[in-house]
Amino acid sequence: GRAWGSRGMEAAAGGCRAPLPAWWGLLRGLLLAVLAAGCCRGNSVERKIYIPLNKTAPCVRLLNATHQIGCQSSISGDTGVIHVVEKEEDLKWVLADGPHPPYMILLDGNLFNRRVMLQLKGTSRVSGLAVAVAKPSPPQGFSPGLKCPNDGFGVYSKDYGPQFAHCNKTVWNPVGSGLSYEDFDFPIFLLEDANETQVIKQCYQDHNVPREGSVPEYPLCAMQLFSHMHAVTSTVTCMRRSSLQSTFSINPEIVCDPLLDYNVWSTLQPINSSGKVDPEKEVIIVATRIDSHSFFWNIAPGAESAVSSFVTHLAAAEAIHKASDVYSLQRNIMFTFFQGETFDYIGSSRMVYDMEKDKFPLRLDNIHSFVELNQVALRTNSTLWMHTDPVSRMNESVEVQVRNLLDILSNSSVGANVTLQEAGYSQPLPPSSFQRFLRARHIPGVVLTDHKTAFQNRYYQSMYDTPENIRMQYPEGLSPEEMLEYVTDAAKSLAEVATVVARALYRLAGGANNTSAIQADPKTVSRMLYGFMIKMNNSWFQSIIKPDIKGILGDVPQHYVAVSSPVNTTYLVQYVLANLTGAVVNLTKEECLNPEKTPSSEKEMYEYAWVQGSLDPNSTSRVPYCVRSTVRLSKALSPAFELRQWGSTEYSTWTESRWKDIRARIFLVASKELEIITLVVGIAILVFSLLATYFINAKADILFSIPRDPGAVAY
């Protein structure tokens, strides 16, 4: 159509203007070809200028009722000349001597501490930070968390055990620097790939190192970091802005989201999930957390702070299901895995709230006792410490029940390679989900940990809380499948703890038979440790999940609660628990996906899942099957957001800012003088081009006309 129109216009103008010469058409075609090539290869110039850093993790902005914490860049990203800091003396160049501020610092992981960071925070000569992972982990320990985790949201306050409030009696995390709870106005990224770190160092060596005492000359190696955050000030401010946008805008611009996910829970004996448990029925709650945190977004390995405890919990749940009389026990047992506990007890506070508001099958009155597994992997001399609440034990009836609970736990460890000791009557509870239940009601309970006072874990809530931290080691040369099946010493140790816990729970529930059959499987524990800490995408996890969620199986497991739910950890805990405690039932795929159509399915009592199954040995296809279990999810969203009390001091108010672009890149930057000269020359050429185009266009009929044939005479 366009070609026809073009020719038509030329023909129509033929009477008053001569046709353009052939070379003009050739020139136009060449110009169009160049433009087309530019459209197709427009970013090839960018690829030649910039080297993207693809394996990074940013520090992002989080907010609560009163503060904002974390980091952000300017809206167009922050740029600076790279300077490598491997010892504290190197900071002098950045803070005082260097002639080319602002600087982007490549910081050795051993220097990533509060003292250094506060120096950098207080200067305008720093535009950003890239942190290289320290290998091996800093021997002195590193925890960017608080010395008193979740302070103000546990049970102890000026009205309840004031002598224990704010960790007055025990500082639980003495190496905590509080770095994660500082607010930085420049971007900070973690470099996860040692090769990319080496590329940056090489660029620095080639261009930025002073030669023979002289100042380095341009071009210099620079870095640009993009991590602009949309939310500011506090949760109150950002939620109000988001709410106004949602109310009055067709396309609302949400600036922050509450941290949320789902708790995972199941019961030993099935209960009606849509009804209410009989008030006379007693239930023992076993609990643990499944989330962790570090300074950097979605970098939360949590080996000791989360994984060791919830893997032990899962193994104990499997072990107690082996008892022959579980369905006739006097008391039921509820296995509970809380999400968001790192951020002021999101999951446990929501479950307590739901129980109080009759939005959960159980009520607080149904709870007989509470057993919580906290950090349990770093035991000294095989000792496990039993922590109780000294305030509630002042009540005589609670004291009797707590003493019974402690005796059953101690007796269950006889003959096992685990020694249980009481932490002491005057010792308060460590940070734990149990504290949120105690805020609502005096419940007999115990928290099991590997520490009597301060944490054994020197890497609490940090990127170094890895398998190495809990001494999980494999022989060299094993394939991924062999590592999955290899029983490590750490797995044997946690299986022993799980066995003791399972036997104690059986006795607490009223079991009278011999408990020797209740034994946690070290091989199962090994598989879980490998899957939750080293590689999620393994053959066992593949076989126990639904086909439609197989995309959750990433390589490196992380356990951050996030804002999109359920996260990978939640799904996997759900399906591992179903696999270990459920039963394979003979239902077709259609029946399994729609159990309400099968009269005998008891849909209110059980959950059904059609899982992928293992690979058939003789083919590449899987053998799927249906699993029936009592495993369910319940919402782990702070009640503060349900109640729209964004400034609450009773419930967690943590939100995560939204952002548009997170990326990092390095490139060579020219001097300011050369940039200005280039800009001026470019503007001059542009002006000249515009003037030339104007005059050529104005004289086009003269410049591009063809002289008339003198032999042709017009009458």
Side-chain angles (χ1 to χ4, degrees):
R2 288 186 180 179
W4 180 91
S6 174
R7 291 193 186 113
M9 287 172 65
E10 289 176 11
C16 56
R17 179 181 292 180
L20 296 176
W23 62 267
W24 174 252
L26 184 64
L27 180 63
R28 184 178 64 177
L30 183 62
L31 182 62
L32 289 172
V34 170
L35 288 173
C39 293
C40 297
R41 303 171 182 267
N43 61 355
S44 63
V45 175
E46 181 177 345
R47 287 200 299 269
K48 290 177 181 177
I49 295 174
Y50 299 104
I51 298 176
L53 304 173
N54 298 316
K55 294 279 288 181
T56 62
C59 159
V60 303
R61 175 168 289 166
L62 299 174
L63 310 98
N64 66 10
T66 55
H67 293 80
Q68 64 179 31
I69 64 171
C71 323
Q72 78 154 355
S73 73
S74 61
I75 196 165
S76 55
D78 288 329
T79 305
V81 173
I82 295 171
H83 190 73
V84 176
V85 175
E86 295 180 325
K87 52 188 185 297
E88 285 206 42
E89 295 75 49
D90 296 336
L91 287 171
K92 191 169 182 289
W93 180 270
V94 173
L95 299 175
D97 297 345
H100 305 119
Y103 285 95
M104 277 283 175
I105 298 175
L106 174 55
L107 188 69
D108 184 272
N110 289 297
L111 293 176
F112 185 55
N113 56 53
R114 186 177 182 84
R115 185 180 68 257
V116 170
M117 291 303 296
L118 291 186
Q119 287 184 64
L120 302 179
K121 184 179 179 180
T123 177
S124 60
R125 291 175 60 88
V126 174
S127 59
L129 206 65
V131 180
V133 178
K135 291 186 178 180
S137 301
Q140 71 278 13
F142 174 74
S143 172
L146 298 170
K147 291 183 184 296
C148 190
N150 290 358
D151 186 23
F153 289 86
V155 69
Y156 302 113
S157 66
K158 61 181 175 59
D159 302 317
Y160 187 99
Q163 69 273 30
F164 305 125
H166 312 300
C167 296
N168 287 335
K169 180 78 174 179
T170 305
V171 177
W172 296 107
N173 187 29
V175 297
S177 65
L179 202 57
S180 288
Y181 296 84
E182 291 288 332
D183 183 37
F184 296 92
D185 60 358
F186 52 77
I188 304 176
F189 279 55
L190 177 69
L191 299 173
E192 299 181 76
D193 188 347
N195 292 328
E196 289 189 342
T197 303
Q198 193 54 45
V199 167
I200 298 171
K201 287 184 176 179
Q202 190 60 53
C203 186
Y204 167 78
Q205 292 287 342
D206 293 343
H207 299 279
N208 295 12
V209 175
R211 308 293 178 190
E212 299 175 358
S214 62
V215 173
E217 296 181 358
Y218 286 98
L220 297 172
C221 191
M223 183 184 296
Q224 189 172 29
L225 302 178
F226 297 84
S227 63
H228 181 67
M229 301 287 130
H230 294 176
V232 293
T233 309
S234 67
T235 289
V236 176
T237 302
C238 79
M239 288 300 292
R240 185 176 64 242
R241 289 178 179 174
S242 296
S243 178
L244 288 170
Q245 285 275 343
S246 300
T247 305
F248 297 109
S249 176
I250 299 174
N251 298 306
E253 181 86 17
I254 307 300
V255 295
C256 68
D257 301 284
L259 295 181
L260 78 157
D261 203 80
Y262 288 89
N263 299 322
V264 182
W265 64 277
S266 75
T267 51
L268 186 64
Q269 300 162 0
I271 62 173
N272 189 334
S273 62
S274 58
K276 290 286 178 289
V277 173
D278 190 298
E280 304 301 316
K281 183 67 176 176
E282 292 182 320
V283 179
I284 301 159
I285 291 185
V286 195
T288 191
R289 67 175 58 188
I290 57 176
D291 69 297
S292 187
H293 180 45
S294 82
F295 186 87
F296 299 98
W297 183 75
N298 207 29
I299 300 294
E304 160 74 339
S305 62
V307 178
S308 68
S309 56
F310 75 68
V311 161
T312 305
H313 187 170
L314 288 164
E318 180 193 33
I320 199 169
H321 273 78
K322 295 175 181 175
S324 58
D325 57 341
V326 290
Y327 293 110
S328 59
L329 292 175
Q330 177 187 349
R331 301 182 184 95
N332 204 347
I333 300 174
M334 177 173 157
F335 306 99
T336 314
F337 300 81
F338 292 119
Q339 260 288 14
E341 295 300 274
T342 304
F343 294 96
D344 300 337
Y345 306 119
I346 294 173
S348 55
S349 63
R350 179 53 186 260
M351 184 169 283
V352 171
Y353 175 82
D354 286 345
M355 287 181 176
E356 289 177 324
K357 302 297 180 184
D358 279 346
K359 296 180 179 179
F360 196 79
L362 266 68
R363 300 178 181 89
L364 289 169
D365 292 344
N366 293 116
I367 301 175
H368 169 268
S369 52
F370 198 105
V371 177
E372 180 169 353
L373 286 162
N374 214 306
Q375 304 178 80
V376 294
L378 297 176
R379 304 199 312 281
T380 303
N381 300 325
S382 299
T383 302
L384 207 60
W385 294 95
M386 301 182 290
H387 299 263
T388 57
D389 172 42
V391 180
S392 61
R393 287 181 70 178
M394 292 178 184
N395 180 298
E396 189 175 340
S397 65
V398 173
E399 167 63 18
V400 170
Q401 290 174 290
V402 170
R403 179 49 54 193
N404 178 57
L405 178 57
L406 295 172
D407 290 344
I408 288 175
L409 279 163
S410 297
N411 293 336
S412 298
S413 67
V414 174
N417 191 26
V418 179
T419 305
L420 277 92
Q421 292 189 30
E422 191 176 347
Y425 191 87
S426 61
Q427 178 80 12
L429 287 169
S432 51
S433 306
F434 179 40
Q435 293 200 30
R436 291 301 303 194
F437 284 80
L438 277 177
R439 281 177 73 130
R441 179 184 169 88
H442 280 178
I443 297 170
V446 62
V447 178
L448 302 177
T449 73
D450 55 21
H451 56 88
K452 181 180 181 181
T453 53
F455 294 163
Q456 296 272 40
N457 185 6
R458 292 172 299 129
Y459 304 108
Y460 183 74
Q461 289 185 10
S462 93
M463 56 190 169
Y464 301 114
D465 192 5
T466 57
E468 292 77 19
N469 185 33
I470 62 169
R471 309 181 192 112
M472 198 167 120
Q473 298 171 328
Y474 295 90
E476 290 190 13
L478 294 185
S479 68
E481 199 63 26
E482 290 169 335
M483 290 176 72
L484 175 68
E485 301 295 337
Y486 182 80
V487 179
T488 62
D489 290 340
K492 293 175 185 175
S493 174
L494 292 179
E496 289 167 353
V497 176
T499 298
V500 169
V501 171
R503 290 175 178 178
L505 291 173
Y506 175 76
R507 290 283 182 235
L508 272 172
N513 294 341
N514 189 296
T515 57
S516 58
I518 301 175
Q519 184 80 37
D521 184 3
K523 189 170 183 179
T524 302
V525 175
S526 287
R527 286 177 162 190
M528 289 191 285
L529 289 175
Y530 179 82
F532 284 113
M533 286 198 289
I534 295 175
K535 189 176 182 182
M536 280 187 169
N537 194 10
N538 61 72
S539 59
W540 186 48
F541 279 4
Q542 289 168 7
S543 69
I544 64 174
I545 63 170
K546 291 181 177 180
D548 57 339
I549 61 166
K550 60 185 178 183
I552 68 169
L553 297 177
D555 279 335
V556 182
Q558 304 297 348
H559 308 292
Y560 174 60
V561 59
V563 296
S564 56
S565 58
V567 295
N568 301 10
T569 306
T570 304
Y571 270 131
L572 288 170
V573 168
Q574 177 188 5
Y575 286 103
V576 169
L577 184 59
N579 177 268
L580 298 180
T581 63
V584 177
V585 289
N586 187 23
L587 294 179
T588 64
K589 181 179 180 180
E590 179 65 26
E591 291 170 334
C592 191
L593 295 176
N594 302 283
E596 64 278 357
K597 296 180 180 178
T598 306
S600 61
S601 68
E602 298 181 284
K603 179 71 174 77
E604 296 79 14
M605 310 294 283
Y606 296 101
E607 290 290 316
Y608 292 81
W610 185 257
V611 300
Q612 291 194 118
S614 302
L615 284 169
D616 190 321
N618 301 319
S619 72
T620 56
S621 61
R622 294 185 176 274
V623 184
Y625 56 91
C626 186
V627 174
R628 185 185 72 180
S629 71
T630 61
V631 181
R632 296 182 173 91
L633 301 179
S634 67
K635 193 177 288 187
L637 169 66
S638 171
F641 298 100
E642 293 277 317
L643 302 169
R644 295 176 68 86
Q645 296 175 359
W646 303 319
S648 173
T649 56
E650 170 74 12
Y651 299 112
S652 171
T653 55
W654 284 105
T655 54
E656 181 185 273
S657 174
R658 288 197 179 186
W659 59 81
K660 187 176 182 180
D661 197 16
I662 297 283
R663 57 194 169 100
R665 60 190 185 181
I666 63 172
F667 57 97
L668 294 181
V669 64
S671 66
K672 293 292 182 185
E673 292 79 5
L674 182 57
E675 288 179 346
I676 292 170
I677 291 170
T678 304
L679 177 63
V680 170
V681 170
I683 291 172
I685 292 173
L686 175 63
V687 171
F688 175 78
S689 301
L690 291 173
L691 291 172
T693 303
Y694 173 76
F695 285 115
I696 290 172
N697 189 56
K699 304 295 183 181
D701 54 341
I702 298 172
L703 293 173
F704 302 116
S705 63
I706 298 175
R708 293 179 183 274
D709 185 353
V713 180
Y715 294 96

